[in-house]
């Protein structure tokens, strides 16, 4: 067994989810399987044990496959920092910022990184499940493609195309996508999967028969609409709340370049937390806790925050005893100023920040990427908590002498992180993933509620496992797994 690629007729057709489900199915059968996405564009990322950066979807798929994270799972990661440009990350490390036209010319070089990763995975794993990006039928992106059919042709692997029937026009999506491929590319397409179907499958059967007869390619399954399936989002912010017994209200400022909003999935799923994302043009309103999240362009997002009059609302919130938490870029905004002498994010070398704590931040070319563990100082607890850092910048100042966390393990030997204000109303940290730790979440939620809320934090890892098992069960029931396994074996 070797490589099988899942491509989609559109973005959000279900590629990431299908690969995750199939990873778990194959892992259940005792196969050593690796997820792979040649090129990913997303602001949600994860840190590997070796200190590299990959897309969040591939991190989830690795969990589904029961394997340790590797930068080879996502050799090219693009993190947009403007409407036309992105930070280019190769094999887990940022190499530069590129405008779209420049990156288009760079793809030939990027393909070599993709093929090197794929070759290493082939030597280590029995099966590789590849996720495409967007649609393979984007005419303007086909030249030097590394994300879809360009990769599939290069390694000569079979392809399954998935389409979302809930969007409507599923047969047009599938037939049209196939028609826009070359004959060689069409030959690699070995079947279709229809995703998110609701209703009587009998009413769909005539359409499935027509599709198979028209394309001479099989439908390998029809996946039902999985209500309340909650898995890490690749990019889009998931706003559905799951509160059943409100004890705490939390508002997250939805910044234009928000990064790693998966930090808040545990809060969104917590039965006692009413989580709300505050959008452009909205007022923050009443809340127990306001969170300023991470940002891929902290200077631009700080300007946006100030333009929304949210700074005035933050000050009023604090006067009435509310709490504020800044994470990563949000931490940097809480200080007195942010300096960018090398033009990492802006031509503006200095911007006045929110001045809610006495420190400044200088943006740097070097990007900190680490997995860490330690003890949260918001509560008297000896429980070890875990998190990860992804940031460009160094913060310095007296406020950091009252840290949020003491490290027990840090690859760079650092001993502390963040700050807690003297009145304990404002907290900042560079650490992502804190709310995924039930003990850390409990400490933060108890602090934010002034002790009213004593419930444990939501166990996201346990919930994720339940969701992956549910997804795999559904794949086993509704997909022709034996035919899919045969496709993997055929290209061995």
């Amino acid at each position: 067994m070797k490589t099988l690629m899942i491509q989609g007729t559109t973005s959000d057709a279900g590629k990431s989810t299908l690969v995750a489900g199939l990873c778990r199915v194959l892992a259940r059968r005792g196969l050593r399987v690796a997820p792979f996405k040649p090129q990913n564009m997303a602001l949600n990322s994860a840190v590997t044990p070796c200190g590299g950066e990959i897309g969040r979807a591939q991190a989830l798929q690795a969990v589904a496959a029961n394997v340790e994270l590797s930068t080879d799972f996502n050799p090219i990661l693009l993190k947009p920092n403007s409407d036309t440009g992105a930070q280019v990350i190769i094999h887990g490390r940022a190499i530069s910022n590129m405008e779209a036209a420049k990156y288009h010319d760079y793809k030939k070089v990027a393909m070599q990184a993709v093929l090197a990763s794929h070759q290493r995975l082939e030597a280590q794993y029995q099966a590789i499940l590849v996720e495409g990006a967007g649609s393979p039928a984007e005419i303007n992106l086909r030249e030097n493609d590394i994300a879809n059919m360009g990769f599939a042709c290069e390694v000569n692997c079979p392809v399954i195309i998935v389409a979302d029937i809930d969007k409507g026009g599923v047969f047009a999506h599938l037939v049209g996508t196939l028609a826009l491929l070359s004959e060689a590319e069409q030959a690699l397409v070995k079947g279709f999967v229809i995703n998110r179907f609701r209703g009587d499958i009998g009413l769909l059967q005539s359409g499935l028969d027509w599709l198979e007869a028209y394309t001479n390619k099989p439908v390998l399954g029809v996946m039902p609409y999985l209500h309340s399936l909650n898995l890490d989002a690749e990019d889009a912010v998931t706003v559905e709340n799951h509160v059943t017994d409100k004890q705490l209200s939390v508002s997250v400022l939805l910044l234009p370049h928000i990064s790693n909003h998966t930090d808040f999935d545990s809060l969104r799923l917590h039965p006692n937390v009413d989580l709300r994302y505050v959008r452009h043009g909205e007022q923050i309103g009443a809340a127990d806790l306001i969170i300023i999240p991470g940002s891929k362009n902290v200077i631009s997002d700080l300007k946006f925050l100030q333009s929304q009059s949210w700074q005035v609302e933050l000050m009023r919130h604090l006067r009435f005893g509310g709490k504020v938490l800044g994470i990563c870029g949000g931490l940097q905004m809480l200080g007195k100023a942010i300096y960018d002498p090398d033009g990492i994010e802006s031509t503006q070398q200095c911007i006045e920040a929110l001045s809610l704590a006495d420190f400044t931040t200088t943006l740097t070319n070097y990007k900190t990427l680490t997995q860490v563990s330690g003890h949260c100082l918001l509560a008297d607890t000896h429980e070890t908590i875990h998190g990860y850092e992804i940031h460009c910048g160094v913060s310095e100042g007296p406020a950091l002498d009252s840290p949020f966390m003491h490290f027990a393990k840090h690859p760079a030997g650092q001993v502390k992180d963040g700050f807690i204000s003297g009145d304990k109303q404002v907290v900042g940290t560079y650490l992502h993933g804190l709310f995924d730790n039930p003990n850390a979440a409990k400490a933060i939620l108890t602090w934010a509620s002034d002790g009213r809320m004593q419930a444990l934090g939501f166990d996201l890892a346990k919930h994720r496992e339940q969701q992956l098992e549910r997804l795999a069960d559904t794949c086993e029931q509704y997909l022709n797994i034996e035919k899919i396994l045969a496709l993997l074996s055929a290209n061995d």
Side-chain angles (χ1 to χ4, degrees), residues 12-193:
D12 196 35
K15 299 182 293 291
S16 298
T17 303
L18 185 56
V19 169
L22 290 174
C23 278
R24 179 52 60 92
V25 169
L26 268 61
R28 282 175 170 180
R29 298 184 180 211
L31 295 172
R32 185 161 170 78
V33 56
F36 186 66
K37 185 160 186 172
Q39 175 185 287
N40 194 352
M41 178 175 282
L43 288 175
N44 284 339
S45 58
V47 177
T48 68
C50 68
E53 191 174 3
I54 64 173
R56 173 63 56 177
Q58 283 61 66
L60 171 68
Q61 291 158 1
V63 172
N66 296 322
V67 295
E68 188 176 78
L69 302 191
S70 167
T71 55
D72 281 331
F73 295 163
N74 178 205
I76 309 295
L77 175 61
L78 306 176
K79 302 187 79 172
N81 49 22
S82 71
D83 289 343
T84 60
Q87 183 182 64
V88 179
I89 297 166
I90 296 184
H91 292 149
R93 297 292 177 184
I95 61 162
S96 69
N97 293 319
M98 292 188 191
E99 292 297 304
K102 182 180 178 181
Y103 178 72
H104 186 71
D105 294 335
Y106 184 79
K107 283 183 180 179
K108 291 180 181 179
V109 177
M111 176 62 98
Q112 299 311 306
V114 167
L115 295 177
S117 286
H118 181 257
Q119 188 174 24
R120 285 191 289 267
L121 295 179
E122 278 193 309
Q124 299 173 54
Y125 293 89
Q126 295 171 283
I128 303 170
L129 293 175
V130 186
E131 178 189 340
S135 163
E138 301 291 351
I139 304 301
N140 57 309
L141 299 177
R142 288 174 59 76
E143 185 180 1
N144 299 328
D145 170 57
I146 66 175
N148 289 300
M149 281 300 177
F151 170 79
C153 290
E154 189 72 31
V155 303
N156 193 34
C157 71
V159 173
I160 295 172
I161 298 181
V162 58
D164 179 4
I165 195 171
D166 197 54
K167 289 184 170 73
V170 70
F171 298 112
H173 282 175
L174 288 167
V175 173
T177 297
L178 196 65
L180 290 173
L181 303 179
S182 70
E183 287 188 13
E185 293 167 343
Q186 289 178 11
L188 291 177
V189 177
K190 303 302 181 182
F192 307 117
V193 169

Side-chain angles (χ1 to χ4, degrees), residues 461-480:
K462 180 179 178 180
H463 175 80
R464 184 184 289 121
E465 275 299 307
Q466 292 170 343
Q467 297 297 296
L468 286 170
E469 285 295 306
R470 177 189 175 201
L471 176 60
D473 288 343
T474 306
C475 288
E476 295 269 18
Q477 182 177 352
Y478 290 96
L479 299 180
N480 192 325

Side-chain angles (χ1 to χ4, degrees), residues 192-240:
F192 307 117
V193 169
I194 292 177
N195 191 31
R196 299 192 183 108
F197 176 74
R198 359 183 175 204
D200 183 353
I201 190 68
L203 298 177
L204 184 64
Q205 191 59 52
S206 62
L208 302 181
D209 294 340
W210 175 89
L211 180 64
E212 291 187 334
Y214 187 84
T215 63
N216 199 30
K217 297 183 186 295
V219 175
L220 298 170
V222 178
M223 290 284 285
Y225 195 107
L226 290 175
H227 295 276
S228 301
L229 180 71
N230 291 293
L231 290 169
D232 309 51
E234 181 173 53
D235 208 27
V237 177
T238 305
V239 297
E240 294 89 352

Side-chain angles (χ1 to χ4, degrees), residues 240 278 288 445 455 476:
E240 294 89 352
V278 185
D288 296 299
L445 296 179
E476 295 269 18

Side-chain angles (χ1 to χ4, degrees), residues 118-407:
H118 181 257
Q119 188 174 24
R120 285 191 289 267
L121 295 179
E122 278 193 309
Q124 299 173 54
Y125 293 89
Q126 295 171 283
I128 303 170
L129 293 175
V130 186
E131 178 189 340
S135 163
E138 301 291 351
I139 304 301
N140 57 309
L141 299 177
R142 288 174 59 76
E143 185 180 1
N144 299 328
D145 170 57
I146 66 175
N148 289 300
M149 281 300 177
F151 170 79
C153 290
E154 189 72 31
V155 303
N156 193 34
C157 71
V159 173
I160 295 172
I161 298 181
V162 58
D164 179 4
I165 195 171
D166 197 54
K167 289 184 170 73
V170 70
F171 298 112
H173 282 175
L174 288 167
V175 173
T177 297
L178 196 65
L180 290 173
L181 303 179
S182 70
E183 287 188 13
E185 293 167 343
Q186 289 178 11
L188 291 177
V189 177
K190 303 302 181 182
F192 307 117
V193 169
I194 292 177
N195 191 31
R196 299 192 183 108
F197 176 74
R198 359 183 175 204
D200 183 353
I201 190 68
L203 298 177
L204 184 64
Q205 191 59 52
S206 62
L208 302 181
D209 294 340
W210 175 89
L211 180 64
E212 291 187 334
Y214 187 84
T215 63
N216 199 30
K217 297 183 186 295
V219 175
L220 298 170
V222 178
M223 290 284 285
Y225 195 107
L226 290 175
H227 295 276
S228 301
L229 180 71
N230 291 293
L231 290 169
D232 309 51
E234 181 173 53
D235 208 27
V237 177
T238 305
V239 297
E240 294 89 352
N241 213 350
H242 293 257
V243 61
T244 56
D245 177 21
K246 176 181 173 180
Q247 297 182 26
L248 187 78
S249 59
V250 179
S251 291
V252 179
L253 304 186
L254 191 55
L255 304 173
H257 303 95
I258 185 172
S259 65
N260 286 62
H261 58 72
T262 48
D263 282 343
F264 313 117
D265 283 353
S266 295
L267 294 180
R268 182 174 57 83
L269 296 167
H270 199 297
N272 306 125
V273 175
D274 183 13
L275 180 74
R276 171 181 169 240
Y277 284 97
V278 185
R279 300 173 178 274
H280 176 277
E282 294 181 344
Q283 292 186 329
I284 298 174
D288 296 299
L289 172 64
I290 297 173
I291 299 178
I292 308 175
S295 165
K296 188 64 192 71
N297 192 322
V298 66
I299 289 180
S300 174
D301 281 351
L302 176 57
K303 291 179 179 178
F304 173 82
L305 183 157
Q306 293 166 336
S307 74
Q308 297 295 298
S309 300
W310 288 344
Q311 184 170 0
V312 174
E313 288 196 73
L314 282 167
M315 300 306 296
R316 182 169 63 245
H317 171 78
L318 289 170
R319 286 198 301 273
F320 283 91
K323 304 296 198 305
V324 173
L325 171 65
I327 298 176
C328 198
L331 156 72
Q332 296 173 346
M333 294 182 198
L334 293 173
K336 288 189 170 182
I338 299 171
Y339 299 99
D340 190 6
D342 297 324
I344 305 300
E345 293 185 355
S346 171
T347 56
Q348 185 172 345
Q349 293 196 343
C350 177
I351 183 172
E352 184 179 347
L354 301 177
S355 296
L356 294 178
D358 188 6
F359 71 93
T360 62
T361 297
T362 301
L363 302 182
T364 62
N365 282 297
Y366 175 75
K367 192 173 191 178
T368 299
L369 292 163
T370 59
Q371 293 183 353
V372 298
S373 61
H375 306 289
C376 174
L377 302 181
L378 263 183
D380 184 17
T381 176
H382 298 287
E383 299 286 348
T384 299
I385 61 176
H386 304 274
Y388 59 97
E389 294 182 68
I390 305 177
H391 62 91
C392 297
V394 176
S395 297
E396 297 176 305
L400 307 181
D401 292 333
S402 299
F404 167 76
M405 182 173 175
H406 277 151
F407 290 127

